[in-house]
Amino acid sequence: ATAPAPEVPMVLLLLLSSVQCLAALRAPETARRRSVLVAAATTAAARAWPAAALSREEYEAIARRAKDNSLTTDNVIIRAIRDDLLDPERDFRQRKLEGDDCRVLESIVKIDNKAADEVRTGTEQLLKLKSAAMSAPSGTLGDREARALSDSYTFGRSLEERIRERASMINVRLNMDCGGT
């Protein structure tokens, strides 16, 4: 019997896939045009559309998952990449938070902070990979891969910052409308 393969956190997979995209963007002239275009489209996708307010249906779906304790860090990370996290200033501008909203937002803050911690762990792993790549013998890994790892680390740190910033904004709104958490 073989031992089960260790699980790789989704955040590390997302960050490593950004390494591949960034490496393809820096590919030499001989690289296939298609792979460069796909990498460019993937890397730019998060910035392609400005974040819009959540629809009532989107908020209700998130609220249902919060009430069922089925919010996931994977969804938070994906929404953060798309810059589509819940924004209390944008999504609750017209109304005061009440009862269920307060409990939902408390759950969202908890899962957001957990997702930010996962992203931090992934970026720390990328930093170790970058260090290993930089000290690898000449010819095994190129500067291009080390730069891609560095760029992915920077991307991960920005993503963590975005998630923590939104969680902080939600906390401020909870303190104003719900009496704190």
Side-chain angles (χ1 to χ4, degrees):
T2 60
E7 288 203 26
V8 179
M10 181 188 171
V11 67
L12 186 57
L13 292 175
L14 284 169
L15 293 172
L16 287 174
S17 70
S18 70
V19 169
Q20 293 172 336
C21 293
L22 292 167
L25 284 172
R26 292 192 171 119
E29 294 283 332
T30 58
R32 290 176 23 187
R33 183 173 182 233
R34 181 175 155 203
S35 65
V36 172
L37 291 174
V38 168
T42 304
T43 303
R47 294 186 174 96
W49 297 280
L54 292 177
S55 71
R56 189 70 191 158
E57 294 79 28
E58 288 174 308
Y59 173 74
E60 287 174 1
I62 292 170
R64 249 190 325 277
R65 288 193 304 275
K67 290 174 189 174
D68 295 341
N69 289 322
S70 61
L71 292 172
T72 66
T73 56
D74 293 349
N75 285 341
V76 172
I77 293 166
I78 290 167
R79 290 177 82 85
I81 289 170
R82 293 187 331 231
D83 196 15
D84 194 25
L85 292 167
L86 185 129
D87 181 338
E89 299 307 313
R90 177 191 70 206
D91 298 322
F92 292 100
R93 184 177 324 154
Q94 303 298 326
R95 63 187 179 95
K96 184 175 178 1
L97 299 176
E98 300 174 341
D100 272 354
D101 289 329
C102 296
R103 287 185 290 282
V104 165
L105 292 181
E106 287 170 357
S107 294
I108 290 171
V109 167
K110 286 178 187 170
I111 200 72
D112 283 0
N113 285 327
K114 186 176 177 183
D117 291 342
E118 287 181 14
V119 171
R120 171 170 280 196
T121 299
T123 55
E124 288 170 353
Q125 292 170 347
L126 283 172
L127 194 58
K128 289 177 187 177
L129 287 172
K130 177 191 169 214
S131 177
M134 297 297 283
S135 62
S138 181
T140 56
L141 284 175
D143 288 337
R144 187 173 66 220
E145 288 83 3
R147 281 192 312 266
L149 284 166
S150 180
D151 289 347
S152 294
Y153 171 79
T154 302
F155 172 74
R157 295 296 298 185
S158 296
L159 197 61
E160 176 193 356
E161 185 178 305
R162 179 180 291 168
I163 295 169
R164 290 199 192 281
E165 182 180 298
R166 286 299 161 83
S168 178
M169 290 170 61
I170 293 170
N171 256 335
V172 167
R173 188 67 190 263
L174 280 168
N175 284 324
M176 288 178 9
D177 288 1
C178 303
T181 57

